[in-house]
């Protein structure tokens, strides 16, 4: 059974082109491989499938063929059969199919029903190309600039002729497979700045206010001036270094180009008590030699201002205490990491006589 492009995009069969593009944008941003670093193989497959569905359903001719004959109809020219290898119209590859062509597949078929031997050209575009055409950028973190026009990947010589019925096509000239170049909007380079955040705020979450400057054209003088821009960023619990927050078209406003994006990149300030390791927190607990030998009872203040008691009867030099669920929150997994306590034993300054007495005790034990 062929692919259900409507189900892939989550739209009905009578969805408008605007509905399809809206669904594509939502899913493409969700499944872009760059936004799924921990699951890239699955994300890439989904991303390609979403792009393929959008490519077909936003093109009236491809969609008409697909609605009547399904995915196989697109491959085999709308007739449900295999490529016509005797007509000289195949792509020149075994069985009329390509093998591992970069960026997608290209098929050239003939013998469409009622077509009098006319040929049909279908191209599956690269998923990244479709993404760039829809958003005006290949960067999923700055994507969002929507275009209202079509992809420009239609069929040459078709004009606005409907494709329903597939019949009566034998009397006209053959259809070409040309592509119409897309006019892309010029855009200023994004303004990227690091946003320094306390580890406490990354643990609990916080609304943070920031101010940056951007360039704009002064209407009175026509000169480029700098103005201050205030933004609010809601820091979510568990965000990691490198997390990007994008304000689309909120940056430089220069004549003849679209406003730039403002991109903040999360960076964590060093903490006095804890060191972060992914979702875990590491605490180096200083103790005396006496505490290591005879036991200790101490405490540490957590990032959300609680007191955790630490009690051990004795501590070996390589001992590590792990407290589950006291690390950083992970909202995707709905879990928390661990608090890992490493004990730093401080040896006292001893006189030679004291060292001799300790050595004698150790030897006798």
């Amino acid at each position: 059974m062929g692919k259900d492009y409507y189900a892939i995009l989550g739209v009905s069969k009578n969805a408008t082109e605007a509905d399809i593009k809206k669904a594509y944008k939502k899913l493409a941003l969700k499944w872009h491989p760059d936004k799924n670093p921990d699951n890239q193989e699955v994300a890439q497959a989904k991303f390609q499938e979403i792009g393929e569905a959008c490519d077909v359903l936003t093109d009236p001719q491809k969609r008409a063929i697909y609605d009547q004959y399904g995915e196989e109809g697109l491959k085999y020219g709308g007739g449900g059969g295999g490529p016509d290898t005797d007509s000289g119209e195949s792509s020149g590859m075994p069985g009329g199919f390509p093998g591992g062509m970069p960026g997608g597949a290209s098929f050239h078929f003939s013998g469409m029903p009622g077509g009098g031997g006319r040929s049909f050209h279908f191209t599956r575009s690269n998923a990244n190309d479709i993404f760039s055409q829809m958003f005006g950028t290949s960067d999923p973190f700055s994507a969002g600039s929507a275009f209202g026009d079509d992809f420009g990947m239609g069929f040459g010589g078709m004009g606005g002729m409907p494709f329903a019925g597939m019949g009566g096509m034998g009397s006209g000239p053959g259809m070409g497979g040309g592509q119409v170049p897309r006019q892309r909007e010029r855009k200023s380079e994004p303004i990227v700045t690091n946003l320094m955040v306390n580890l406490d705020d990354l643990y609990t979450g916080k609304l943070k206010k920031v101010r940056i400057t951007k360039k704009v054209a002064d209407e009175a003088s026509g000169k480029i001036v700098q103005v201050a821009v205030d933004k609010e960023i809601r820091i979510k619990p568990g965000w990691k270094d490198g997390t990007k927050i994008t304000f689309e078209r909120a940056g430089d406003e220069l004549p003849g180009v679209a406003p730039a994006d403002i991109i903040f990149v999360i960076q964590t300030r060093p903490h006095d008590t804890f060191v972060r390791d992914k979702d875990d927190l590491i605490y180096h607990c200083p103790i005396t030699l006496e505490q290591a030998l005879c036991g200790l009872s101490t405490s540490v203040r957590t990032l959300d201002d609680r007191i955790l008691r630490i009690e051990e009867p004795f501590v070996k030099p390589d001992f590590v205490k792990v407290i589950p669920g006291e690390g950083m929150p992970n909202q995707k997994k709905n879990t928390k990491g661990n608090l890992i306590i490493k004990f730093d034993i401080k040896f006292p300054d001893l006189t030679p006589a004291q060292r001799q007495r300790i050595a004698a005790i150790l030897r006798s034990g």
Side-chain angles (χ1 to χ4, degrees):
M1 180 178 292
K3 296 178 181 178
D4 186 343
Y5 292 138
Y6 293 102
I8 289 170
L9 294 180
V11 297
S12 65
K13 290 191 175 182
N14 60 354
T16 65
E17 183 176 346
D19 294 334
I20 292 166
K21 288 184 176 181
K22 182 178 179 181
Y24 167 81
K25 290 177 181 179
K26 181 178 179 180
L27 291 170
L29 287 174
K30 176 182 178 181
W31 287 106
H32 195 288
D34 290 352
K35 283 197 168 186
N36 295 271
D38 299 329
N39 197 23
Q40 280 206 336
E41 186 174 344
V42 173
Q44 180 62 50
K46 292 283 291 184
F47 184 64
Q48 182 70 35
E49 191 175 54
I50 292 162
E52 182 180 325
C54 182
D55 178 35
V56 171
L57 297 184
T58 54
D59 185 288
Q61 287 77 40
K62 295 178 188 178
R63 184 175 179 179
I65 297 172
Y66 174 75
D67 285 345
Q68 188 165 358
Y69 298 102
E71 184 190 12
E72 294 302 305
L74 286 170
K75 290 181 179 179
Y76 301 130
D84 182 358
T85 57
D86 296 328
S87 66
E89 293 290 312
S90 72
S91 63
M93 297 187 180
F97 290 93
M101 296 178 64
S106 179
F107 305 94
H108 194 178
F109 308 111
S110 61
M112 298 170 64
R118 299 299 179 183
S119 63
F120 172 71
H121 186 86
F122 170 59
T123 301
R124 288 183 178 175
S125 297
N126 180 281
N128 291 322
D129 293 341
I130 294 174
F131 186 90
S132 297
Q133 289 163 344
M134 290 293 286
F135 288 101
T137 176
S138 60
D139 182 3
F141 296 101
S142 62
S145 304
F147 290 88
D149 54 335
D150 296 333
F151 277 12
M153 294 190 297
F155 298 83
M158 287 296 296
M161 183 178 67
F163 217 82
M166 300 290 293
M169 297 181 65
S171 59
M175 292 180 290
Q179 292 189 349
V180 180
R182 180 182 181 80
Q183 186 68 36
R184 291 192 178 183
E185 184 179 26
R186 288 184 58 213
K187 193 171 186 178
S188 298
E189 289 297 316
I191 302 172
V192 181
T193 185
N194 288 335
L195 180 62
M196 303 303 296
V197 183
N198 295 330
L199 187 60
D200 312 61
D201 297 336
L202 291 171
Y203 182 87
T204 59
K206 185 178 181 179
L207 182 65
K208 191 174 182 68
K209 296 182 179 181
V210 296
R211 171 174 289 186
I212 68 168
T213 58
K214 71 174 184 178
K215 299 175 182 177
V216 299
D218 182 68
E219 293 184 0
S221 64
K223 295 181 179 180
I224 303 299
V225 298
Q226 289 192 333
V227 297
V229 179
D230 293 323
K231 294 292 180 184
E232 289 186 348
I233 298 175
R234 185 165 297 280
I235 304 297
K236 294 184 179 180
W239 272 1
K240 296 179 175 67
D241 283 356
T243 301
K244 294 181 180 180
I245 305 97
T246 301
F247 293 91
E248 296 172 1
R249 297 172 175 254
D252 291 345
E253 300 176 17
L254 302 176
V257 294
D261 296 339
I262 298 178
I263 303 175
F264 292 97
V265 183
I266 295 294
Q267 296 292 329
T268 307
R269 287 194 180 96
H271 195 269
D272 293 337
T273 305
F274 300 106
V275 175
R276 183 176 184 176
D277 181 13
K278 298 179 181 177
D279 290 339
D280 294 334
L281 291 173
I282 300 173
Y283 169 49
H284 287 268
C285 180
I287 62 173
T288 65
L289 180 59
E290 178 185 359
Q291 288 175 313
L293 295 172
C294 303
L296 67 96
S297 178
T298 185
S299 63
V300 62
R301 186 178 296 275
T302 65
L303 292 174
D304 56 351
D305 210 28
R306 292 176 291 112
I307 300 296
L308 282 183
R309 299 297 305 175
I310 303 172
E311 297 183 353
E312 294 295 330
F314 64 91
V315 175
K316 294 181 179 180
D318 58 350
F319 175 67
V320 174
K321 184 179 181 69
V322 178
I323 303 179
E326 289 292 348
M328 296 295 292
N330 186 316
Q331 291 191 326
K332 287 185 178 180
K333 299 179 181 178
N334 196 26
T335 59
K336 283 187 176 181
N338 300 324
L339 174 59
I340 299 173
I341 302 174
K342 298 182 178 181
F343 296 93
D344 297 335
I345 303 172
K346 183 179 180 181
F347 283 75
D349 295 326
L350 301 174
T351 65
Q354 289 172 325
R355 289 198 294 270
Q356 289 295 328
R357 288 198 296 270
I358 293 175
I361 294 172
L362 294 174
R363 283 195 296 267
S364 64

